[in-house]
Short mmCIF file of all heavy atoms in Angstrom, two decimals:
data_model
loop_
_atom_site.label_atom_id
_atom_site.label_comp_id
_atom_site.label_asym_id
_atom_site.label_seq_id
_atom_site.Cartn_x
_atom_site.Cartn_y
_atom_site.Cartn_z
N LEU A 55 -12.93 10.11 1.88
CA LEU A 55 -13.34 9.53 3.25
C LEU A 55 -13.15 10.59 4.34
O LEU A 55 -14.29 10.72 5.13
CB LEU A 55 -12.59 8.25 3.49
CG LEU A 55 -12.75 7.12 2.45
CD1 LEU A 55 -11.75 5.99 2.93
CD2 LEU A 55 -14.14 6.65 2.60
N VAL A 56 -12.14 11.02 4.47
CA VAL A 56 -11.82 11.99 5.66
C VAL A 56 -12.68 13.31 5.57
O VAL A 56 -13.37 13.60 6.58
CB VAL A 56 -10.31 12.42 5.63
CG1 VAL A 56 -10.11 13.46 6.71
CG2 VAL A 56 -9.46 11.15 6.04
N ASP A 57 -12.86 13.83 4.38
CA ASP A 57 -13.62 15.04 4.12
C ASP A 57 -14.92 14.93 4.56
O ASP A 57 -15.62 15.77 5.09
CB ASP A 57 -13.55 15.65 2.69
CG ASP A 57 -12.09 16.15 2.39
OD1 ASP A 57 -11.32 16.37 3.37
OD2 ASP A 57 -11.77 16.49 1.23
N GLY A 58 -15.54 13.69 4.16
CA GLY A 58 -16.88 13.35 4.49
C GLY A 58 -17.16 13.37 5.95
O GLY A 58 -18.24 13.96 6.50
N VAL A 59 -16.27 12.63 6.72
CA VAL A 59 -16.43 12.59 8.25
C VAL A 59 -16.24 13.88 8.81
O VAL A 59 -17.10 14.28 9.63
CB VAL A 59 -15.46 11.50 8.74
CG1 VAL A 59 -15.52 11.55 10.30
CG2 VAL A 59 -15.81 10.16 8.17
N ILE A 60 -15.21 14.68 8.32
CA ILE A 60 -14.98 16.06 8.90
C ILE A 60 -16.23 16.91 8.67
O ILE A 60 -16.58 17.64 9.54
CB ILE A 60 -13.74 16.62 8.33
CG1 ILE A 60 -12.49 15.83 8.73
CG2 ILE A 60 -13.44 17.99 8.71
CD1 ILE A 60 -12.08 15.70 10.15
N GLU A 61 -16.72 16.95 7.53
CA GLU A 61 -18.06 17.74 7.24
C GLU A 61 -19.19 17.39 7.95
O GLU A 61 -19.82 18.27 8.54
CB GLU A 61 -18.27 17.67 5.71
CG GLU A 61 -17.29 18.49 4.89
CD GLU A 61 -17.08 19.87 5.24
OE1 GLU A 61 -17.88 20.62 5.57
OE2 GLU A 61 -15.74 20.21 5.42
N GLU A 62 -19.32 16.06 8.31
CA GLU A 62 -20.44 15.58 9.17
C GLU A 62 -20.24 16.21 10.57
O GLU A 62 -21.09 16.70 11.25
CB GLU A 62 -20.51 14.11 9.07
CG GLU A 62 -21.11 13.56 8.00
CD GLU A 62 -21.07 12.18 8.10
OE1 GLU A 62 -21.22 11.43 9.20
OE2 GLU A 62 -21.06 11.39 6.99
N LEU A 63 -19.05 16.14 11.07
CA LEU A 63 -18.66 16.48 12.39
C LEU A 63 -18.93 18.10 12.46
O LEU A 63 -19.37 18.60 13.52
CB LEU A 63 -17.27 16.16 12.78
CG LEU A 63 -17.03 14.58 13.10
CD1 LEU A 63 -15.57 14.35 13.30
CD2 LEU A 63 -17.89 14.29 14.38
N LYS A 64 -18.53 18.80 11.47
CA LYS A 64 -18.64 20.35 11.48
C LYS A 64 -20.11 20.65 11.52
O LYS A 64 -20.51 21.59 12.27
CB LYS A 64 -17.96 20.84 10.24
CG LYS A 64 -16.54 20.99 10.30
CD LYS A 64 -16.05 21.60 8.99
CE LYS A 64 -14.58 21.72 8.94
NZ LYS A 64 -14.13 22.37 7.76
N GLU A 65 -20.88 19.98 10.74
CA GLU A 65 -22.47 20.25 10.74
C GLU A 65 -22.94 19.87 12.08
O GLU A 65 -23.92 20.54 12.63
CB GLU A 65 -23.03 19.35 9.70
CG GLU A 65 -22.75 19.89 8.18
CD GLU A 65 -23.35 18.99 7.20
OE1 GLU A 65 -24.17 18.05 7.45
OE2 GLU A 65 -22.89 19.19 6.07
N LYS A 66 -22.50 18.70 12.74
CA LYS A 66 -23.09 18.27 14.07
C LYS A 66 -22.75 19.28 15.15
O LYS A 66 -23.45 19.54 16.06
CB LYS A 66 -22.69 16.89 14.29
CG LYS A 66 -23.32 16.29 15.43
CD LYS A 66 -23.01 14.73 15.62
CE LYS A 66 -23.64 14.26 16.73
NZ LYS A 66 -23.43 12.83 16.84
N TYR A 67 -21.36 19.74 15.05
CA TYR A 67 -20.82 20.58 16.06
C TYR A 67 -20.39 21.81 15.44
O TYR A 67 -19.15 22.07 15.06
CB TYR A 67 -19.71 19.95 16.86
CG TYR A 67 -20.16 18.57 17.50
CD1 TYR A 67 -19.74 17.36 16.78
CD2 TYR A 67 -20.88 18.44 18.58
CE1 TYR A 67 -20.14 16.09 17.30
CE2 TYR A 67 -21.40 17.24 19.21
CZ TYR A 67 -20.84 16.04 18.45
OH TYR A 67 -21.26 14.93 19.03
N PRO A 68 -21.09 23.00 15.24
CA PRO A 68 -20.76 24.10 14.43
C PRO A 68 -19.92 25.09 15.17
O PRO A 68 -19.71 26.11 14.57
CB PRO A 68 -22.16 24.71 14.06
CG PRO A 68 -23.07 24.23 15.24
CD PRO A 68 -22.60 22.82 15.66
N ALA A 69 -19.34 24.82 16.23
CA ALA A 69 -18.48 25.71 16.85
C ALA A 69 -17.22 26.10 15.98
O ALA A 69 -16.63 25.20 15.42
CB ALA A 69 -17.97 25.23 18.29
N ALA A 70 -16.87 27.38 15.86
CA ALA A 70 -15.74 27.85 14.97
C ALA A 70 -14.48 27.31 15.57
O ALA A 70 -13.66 26.84 14.66
CB ALA A 70 -15.76 29.34 15.01
N ALA A 71 -14.29 27.24 16.73
CA ALA A 71 -12.88 26.61 17.32
C ALA A 71 -12.87 25.07 16.90
O ALA A 71 -11.76 24.67 16.59
CB ALA A 71 -12.85 26.89 18.85
N LEU A 72 -14.00 24.51 17.00
CA LEU A 72 -13.97 22.96 16.65
C LEU A 72 -13.84 22.87 15.21
O LEU A 72 -13.04 21.98 14.72
CB LEU A 72 -15.24 22.34 17.12
CG LEU A 72 -15.24 20.91 16.86
CD1 LEU A 72 -14.18 20.13 17.57
CD2 LEU A 72 -16.59 20.29 17.27
N ALA A 73 -14.31 23.67 14.34
CA ALA A 73 -14.15 23.61 12.90
C ALA A 73 -12.64 23.76 12.66
O ALA A 73 -12.12 23.09 11.73
CB ALA A 73 -15.01 24.61 12.17
N GLU A 74 -11.99 24.60 13.09
CA GLU A 74 -10.66 25.07 12.96
C GLU A 74 -9.77 23.72 13.29
O GLU A 74 -8.87 23.29 12.65
CB GLU A 74 -10.11 26.18 13.78
CG GLU A 74 -8.68 26.59 13.54
CD GLU A 74 -8.42 27.95 14.30
OE1 GLU A 74 -9.13 28.83 14.37
OE2 GLU A 74 -7.34 27.86 14.80
N TYR A 75 -10.08 23.14 14.53
CA TYR A 75 -9.42 21.85 14.96
C TYR A 75 -9.60 20.85 14.02
O TYR A 75 -8.69 20.11 13.67
CB TYR A 75 -9.85 21.62 16.52
CG TYR A 75 -9.22 20.34 16.82
CD1 TYR A 75 -7.98 20.19 17.26
CD2 TYR A 75 -10.14 19.08 16.92
CE1 TYR A 75 -7.40 18.97 17.73
CE2 TYR A 75 -9.60 17.94 17.43
CZ TYR A 75 -8.14 18.00 17.68
OH TYR A 75 -7.69 16.71 18.15
N LEU A 76 -10.73 20.66 13.55
CA LEU A 76 -11.08 19.51 12.67
C LEU A 76 -10.45 19.66 11.36
O LEU A 76 -9.96 18.72 10.73
CB LEU A 76 -12.62 19.38 12.35
CG LEU A 76 -13.50 18.86 13.54
CD1 LEU A 76 -14.97 18.90 13.21
CD2 LEU A 76 -13.07 17.56 14.00
N GLU A 77 -10.09 20.93 10.87
CA GLU A 77 -9.43 21.26 9.69
C GLU A 77 -7.96 20.75 9.95
O GLU A 77 -7.33 20.10 8.94
CB GLU A 77 -9.35 22.60 9.18
CG GLU A 77 -10.68 22.98 8.55
CD GLU A 77 -10.87 22.10 7.16
OE1 GLU A 77 -9.88 22.03 6.43
OE2 GLU A 77 -12.02 21.55 6.98
N GLU A 78 -7.42 21.02 11.14
CA GLU A 78 -6.00 20.58 11.42
C GLU A 78 -5.96 19.08 11.41
O GLU A 78 -5.00 18.48 10.83
CB GLU A 78 -5.56 21.20 12.68
CG GLU A 78 -5.33 22.68 12.71
CD GLU A 78 -5.06 23.09 14.10
OE1 GLU A 78 -4.59 22.40 15.02
OE2 GLU A 78 -5.28 24.36 14.28
N VAL A 79 -6.88 18.40 11.96
CA VAL A 79 -7.03 17.05 11.91
C VAL A 79 -7.07 16.45 10.58
O VAL A 79 -6.28 15.48 10.24
CB VAL A 79 -8.25 16.51 12.87
CG1 VAL A 79 -8.45 14.88 12.63
CG2 VAL A 79 -7.99 16.83 14.28
N ARG A 80 -7.93 16.97 9.78
CA ARG A 80 -8.07 16.53 8.34
C ARG A 80 -6.50 16.59 7.58
O ARG A 80 -6.33 15.65 6.95
CB ARG A 80 -9.01 17.52 7.65
CG ARG A 80 -9.17 17.02 6.15
CD ARG A 80 -10.23 17.78 5.44
NE ARG A 80 -9.77 19.12 5.05
CZ ARG A 80 -9.01 19.33 4.06
NH1 ARG A 80 -8.77 18.32 3.26
NH2 ARG A 80 -8.67 20.61 3.80
N HIS A 81 -5.99 17.85 7.74
CA HIS A 81 -4.66 18.02 7.10
C HIS A 81 -3.61 17.06 7.61
O HIS A 81 -2.82 16.42 6.99
CB HIS A 81 -4.10 19.40 7.33
CG HIS A 81 -4.84 20.36 6.48
ND1 HIS A 81 -4.78 20.38 5.07
CD2 HIS A 81 -5.75 21.47 6.81
CE1 HIS A 81 -5.51 21.42 4.58
NE2 HIS A 81 -6.19 21.97 5.58
N HIS A 82 -3.67 16.77 8.93
CA HIS A 82 -2.68 15.81 9.66
C HIS A 82 -2.93 14.42 9.20
O HIS A 82 -2.05 13.64 8.71
CB HIS A 82 -2.80 15.83 11.19
CG HIS A 82 -1.95 14.99 11.86
ND1 HIS A 82 -0.53 15.24 11.88
CD2 HIS A 82 -2.12 13.72 12.43
CE1 HIS A 82 -0.09 14.22 12.58
NE2 HIS A 82 -1.00 13.29 12.87
N LEU A 83 -4.19 14.05 9.16
CA LEU A 83 -4.54 12.72 8.54
C LEU A 83 -4.14 12.42 7.19
O LEU A 83 -3.42 11.37 6.74
CB LEU A 83 -6.13 12.46 8.74
CG LEU A 83 -6.56 12.18 10.02
CD1 LEU A 83 -8.19 12.10 10.02
CD2 LEU A 83 -6.07 11.00 10.68
N LEU A 84 -4.40 13.48 6.23
CA LEU A 84 -3.97 13.23 4.93
C LEU A 84 -2.54 13.41 4.64
O LEU A 84 -2.00 12.79 3.72
CB LEU A 84 -4.85 14.43 3.93
CG LEU A 84 -6.35 14.16 4.06
CD1 LEU A 84 -7.02 15.25 3.29
CD2 LEU A 84 -6.74 12.86 3.47
N ASP A 85 -1.92 13.99 5.48
CA ASP A 85 -0.38 14.09 5.31
C ASP A 85 0.39 12.97 5.87
O ASP A 85 1.51 12.74 5.75
CB ASP A 85 0.13 15.42 5.94
CG ASP A 85 -0.19 16.64 5.24
OD1 ASP A 85 -0.69 16.66 4.09
OD2 ASP A 85 -0.18 17.83 5.81
N ASN A 86 -0.40 12.19 6.79
CA ASN A 86 0.26 11.11 7.42
C ASN A 86 -0.59 9.79 7.17
O ASN A 86 -1.01 9.15 8.12
CB ASN A 86 0.40 11.35 8.85
CG ASN A 86 1.25 12.55 9.15
OD1 ASN A 86 2.47 12.49 8.92
ND2 ASN A 86 0.60 13.72 9.46
N LEU A 87 -0.70 9.33 5.99
CA LEU A 87 -1.56 8.19 5.70
C LEU A 87 -0.73 6.90 5.89
O LEU A 87 -1.36 5.78 6.14
CB LEU A 87 -1.90 8.22 4.14
CG LEU A 87 -2.86 9.23 3.78
CD1 LEU A 87 -3.35 9.18 2.37
CD2 LEU A 87 -4.20 9.10 4.56
N ASP A 88 0.57 6.77 6.03
CA ASP A 88 1.38 5.57 6.06
C ASP A 88 1.01 4.87 7.37
O ASP A 88 0.82 3.61 7.21
CB ASP A 88 2.92 5.99 6.03
CG ASP A 88 3.37 6.15 4.67
OD1 ASP A 88 2.63 5.87 3.71
OD2 ASP A 88 4.30 6.92 4.50
N PRO A 89 0.90 5.46 8.48
CA PRO A 89 0.44 4.54 9.59
C PRO A 89 -0.84 3.89 9.48
O PRO A 89 -1.03 2.68 10.00
CB PRO A 89 0.35 5.55 10.86
CG PRO A 89 1.17 6.73 10.42
CD PRO A 89 1.01 6.74 8.88
N PHE A 90 -1.77 4.46 8.76
CA PHE A 90 -3.05 3.78 8.45
C PHE A 90 -2.97 2.77 7.40
O PHE A 90 -3.65 1.71 7.51
CB PHE A 90 -4.09 4.80 8.03
CG PHE A 90 -4.36 5.90 9.16
CD1 PHE A 90 -3.70 7.16 8.97
CD2 PHE A 90 -5.03 5.61 10.22
CE1 PHE A 90 -3.85 8.15 9.98
CE2 PHE A 90 -5.27 6.52 11.14
CZ PHE A 90 -4.59 7.86 10.98
N LYS A 91 -1.96 2.82 6.49
CA LYS A 91 -1.83 1.82 5.37
C LYS A 91 -1.20 0.59 5.99
O LYS A 91 -1.48 -0.51 5.65
CB LYS A 91 -1.07 2.32 4.37
CG LYS A 91 -1.70 3.37 3.48
CD LYS A 91 -0.96 3.76 2.32
CE LYS A 91 0.42 4.24 2.47
NZ LYS A 91 1.13 4.77 1.33
#
Side-chain angles (χ1 to χ4, degrees):
L55 295 173
V56 171
D57 289 349
V59 173
I60 295 294
E61 290 306 313
E62 284 180 25
L63 289 171
K64 284 181 180 179
E65 288 173 12
K66 189 172 181 177
Y67 306 102
L72 182 59
E74 185 178 319
Y75 174 74
L76 289 172
E77 278 302 309
E78 290 177 22
V79 169
R80 182 178 77 78
H81 288 291
H82 179 76
L83 288 171
L84 294 176
D85 290 343
N86 299 285
L87 292 176
D88 286 340
F90 299 101
K91 292 187 305 188

